[in-house]
Amino acid sequence: MRWTDDRGGNVEDRRGLGGGAVVGGGLGTLIIAAIIFFLGGDPSSILSSGSGSSRTEQRELTAEDKKIGEMVDMMGKWNIVTWDQVFQENGMTYTPPKIILFSETTQSGCGMAQSAMGPFYCPADQSVYMDMSFFNELQQKFGAKVTEFTVAYVLAHEVGHHVQTLLGTTQKVDELRRSGRYSEAEMNRVSVATELQADFYAGVWAKRTDADKHILEPGDIQSAIEAAEAVGDDNIQRRSQGYVNQESFTHGSSAQRKEWFMKGYNTGDIRQGDTFNQLLK
């Protein structure tokens, strides 16, 4: 991935600040939470079980930490520029999310954020939360090759959830969930559609940003595909329980995640991303 001089990505860096009680179960619970909620899950439902707390200590950011912060700030700016253009083309105004970097734990508008949840978007405060240590988990536990563009893809996916909030999709999904009219299996299908659309938006972002800033280098798109496939529901279930139950999918299969990311990348057209079909009509 080629770096540019773009900065100003609306990033708040909380790494090294310390503080914050950790709420929830043990490490096993947190790893399961990471698997379930990576790339867009709502973390609030896993915070109610278990007990215990600890506190993180303040520390100085290393030179590597600062370089990572600079990279995320650059990626954040890329997202702002690209989505500004896309929204303007469609007669809308784009408001960027805040991107919050943290270590171990921090408070979010959706409850206590913990590193083991993986990156997530909180619609309550319209912010993306990222503990960069999760990318080590992605590589070590799920077998994905992690590159700088892997981080860019994950961030673009979470920003895709923010785009859904700005377009009203998030609110429609929440109305369906709160209505009580739909079975768990039906709501799982809605959840899959939501996540696949965020993958599609990430593909649109990659296409449009590269056309404008020429950021892509050989292997970058493949690294994004590998990350998407690694966290497909079928791959996760096969690794964790030894079999696949499609009715319990909440994020989509590895093949679906690749398909919709590549559709976004190949078309670069936000209007081609109706993963819901008739689900929200």
Side-chain angles (χ1 to χ4, degrees):
M1 185 188 77
R2 190 180 71 84
W3 285 45
T4 69
D5 293 331
D6 296 274
R7 301 295 185 273
N10 203 25
V11 174
E12 178 183 336
D13 197 341
R14 299 181 186 175
R15 296 174 301 166
L17 295 180
V22 178
V23 181
L27 180 61
T29 300
L30 297 181
I31 294 300
I32 292 172
I35 293 172
I36 296 174
F37 291 98
F38 178 61
L39 296 180
D42 179 0
S44 60
S45 63
I46 67 168
L47 297 176
S48 59
S49 62
S51 61
S53 65
S54 62
R55 303 190 68 81
T56 57
E57 297 180 356
Q58 292 188 2
R59 65 176 179 86
E60 290 292 328
L61 295 181
T62 65
E64 182 180 0
D65 288 334
K66 293 176 182 178
K67 190 69 173 178
I68 289 172
E70 185 181 358
M71 179 182 70
V72 173
D73 191 37
M74 174 182 68
M75 294 173 178
K77 183 62 175 180
W78 289 346
N79 274 274
I80 292 172
V81 171
T82 295
W83 287 112
D84 267 340
Q85 293 173 347
V86 172
F87 271 57
Q88 288 176 15
E89 291 170 5
N90 290 275
M92 299 177 291
T93 301
Y94 180 71
T95 304
K98 181 175 286 187
I99 301 169
I100 298 175
L101 296 177
F102 70 99
S103 299
E104 297 186 23
T105 180
T106 193
Q107 188 64 42
S108 81
C110 296
M112 189 65 73
Q114 299 177 21
S115 60
M117 294 171 178
F120 69 91
Y121 171 72
C122 174
D125 58 13
Q126 298 195 6
S127 297
V128 174
Y129 290 83
M130 299 180 72
D131 183 329
M132 302 302 291
S133 67
F134 185 81
F135 290 95
N136 295 329
E137 297 283 334
L138 180 62
Q139 182 162 295
Q140 294 168 8
K141 294 187 178 297
F142 302 118
K145 179 182 177 182
V146 173
T147 67
E148 290 179 343
F149 196 74
T150 306
V151 179
Y153 155 68
V154 171
L155 178 60
H157 175 101
E158 301 307 336
V159 173
H161 286 305
H162 178 65
V163 170
Q164 290 173 322
T165 295
L166 296 181
L167 297 179
T169 306
T170 304
Q171 294 85 334
K172 290 181 179 179
V173 169
D174 189 51
E175 288 174 6
L176 291 181
R177 183 175 292 108
R178 289 187 288 106
S179 73
R181 299 196 306 268
Y182 301 94
S183 67
E184 180 179 355
E186 289 171 327
M187 287 310 305
N188 284 346
R189 288 196 294 273
V190 172
S191 177
V192 167
T194 303
E195 298 300 328
L196 294 180
Q197 189 176 68
D199 277 333
F200 171 84
Y201 288 156
V204 170
W205 169 83
K207 178 75 168 185
R208 297 289 298 261
T209 302
D210 185 54
D212 182 36
K213 299 186 177 296
H214 309 293
I215 63 170
L216 292 177
E217 294 181 325
D220 283 343
I221 292 300
Q222 183 60 33
S223 72
I225 290 172
E226 289 178 5
E229 290 178 329
V231 291
D233 284 319
D234 52 344
N235 185 48
I236 290 173
Q237 288 184 359
R238 196 174 290 112
R239 285 173 176 265
S240 62
Q241 64 190 26
Y243 63 91
V244 173
N245 177 11
Q246 189 169 349
E247 282 196 358
S248 67
F249 284 7
T250 58
H251 286 62
S253 69
S254 296
Q256 287 174 315
R257 301 201 70 162
K258 174 183 177 180
E259 174 190 355
W260 280 98
F261 172 79
M262 289 306 301
K263 183 174 182 180
Y265 178 72
N266 289 329
T267 66
D269 183 0
I270 191 175
R271 296 169 297 181
Q272 303 300 314
D274 182 10
T275 58
F276 293 92
N277 294 320
Q278 302 298 315
L279 288 175
L280 297 185
K281 304 293 175 135

